[in-house]
Amino acid sequence: MLRDKNAEVVLTNKNYLAEVKTRNHFLVIDEPVSSGGDDNGPTPVEYLLTAVGGCVSITLRMYAERKGWDVGKITVNVSQKEESTSEGIKKWLVEDISFEKEITEDQKKRLLVIAGKCPVAKMIKGETKMESKII
């Protein structure tokens, strides 16, 4: 079964302010003032980090519930790191995952594997084909 998910992004004439509609939700994207925007909303990278954290936490909750594990609140702090190298700037993401309740070492190992299986993480790792076209 083919299921489409869609987000329409319209960049307005006001610097870098973009208006987004997805399902019944409206969002804004902008750049900070230091980058020429008006700081009316998160940047595209900040939304990406949010998407990763949200997807990982939801995936972990679903798995924990199936296993009957009460892990309490799940916090996923996602950050983009960068380093200057001789080949240029290298960028990567770091996830710091924590659970409100104590978990065993075995649970920790399993949950770490499951975190990497969230659909957004898989997209970022290059497992999703992307087509671009001008219409």
Side-chain angles (χ1 to χ4, degrees), residues 59-74 99-115:
T59 300
L60 291 172
R61 170 74 73 221
M62 289 176 171
Y63 183 80
E65 285 177 349
R66 276 197 307 274
K67 292 292 191 178
W69 299 344
D70 180 10
V71 298
K73 289 181 187 175
I74 301 169
F99 300 92
E100 179 182 32
K101 301 208 174 162
E102 283 292 317
I103 59 173
T104 67
E105 277 302 312
D106 286 342
Q107 288 172 323
K108 190 180 289 187
K109 288 176 187 171
R110 189 65 194 142
L111 289 165
L112 194 55
V113 169
I114 296 302

Side-chain angles (χ1 to χ4, degrees), residues 1-45:
M1 174 197 316
L2 181 64
R3 294 188 306 178
D4 288 342
K5 295 181 182 355
N6 182 27
E8 180 184 63
V9 180
V10 177
L11 188 65
T12 68
N13 291 327
K14 187 177 179 194
N15 294 334
Y16 300 113
L17 179 66
E19 297 170 343
V20 182
K21 178 164 187 327
T22 181
R23 290 188 300 126
N24 299 316
H25 305 284
F26 295 92
L27 311 155
V28 295
I29 298 171
D30 203 356
E31 289 291 329
V33 173
S34 62
S35 297
D38 291 319
D39 203 21
N40 288 306
T43 68
V45 171

Side-chain angles (χ1 to χ4, degrees), residues 70-124:
D70 180 10
V71 298
K73 289 181 187 175
I74 301 169
T75 301
V76 181
N77 184 1
V78 185
S79 55
Q80 180 187 33
K81 304 292 184 185
E82 57 181 64
E83 174 183 42
S84 293
T85 67
S86 58
E87 293 88 37
I89 297 176
K90 178 182 171 187
K91 296 181 181 183
W92 69 97
L93 301 183
V94 175
E95 299 171 332
D96 292 322
I97 304 167
S98 62
F99 300 92
E100 179 182 32
K101 301 208 174 162
E102 283 292 317
I103 59 173
T104 67
E105 277 302 312
D106 286 342
Q107 288 172 323
K108 190 180 289 187
K109 288 176 187 171
R110 189 65 194 142
L111 289 165
L112 194 55
V113 169
I114 296 302
K117 295 182 183 278
C118 93
V120 175
K122 290 169 74 172
M123 281 183 202
I124 290 173

Side-chain angles (χ1 to χ4, degrees), residues 45-64:
V45 171
E46 290 166 337
Y47 271 115
L48 177 65
L49 300 176
T50 301
V52 171
C55 185
V56 167
S57 62
I58 290 168
T59 300
L60 291 172
R61 170 74 73 221
M62 289 176 171
Y63 183 80

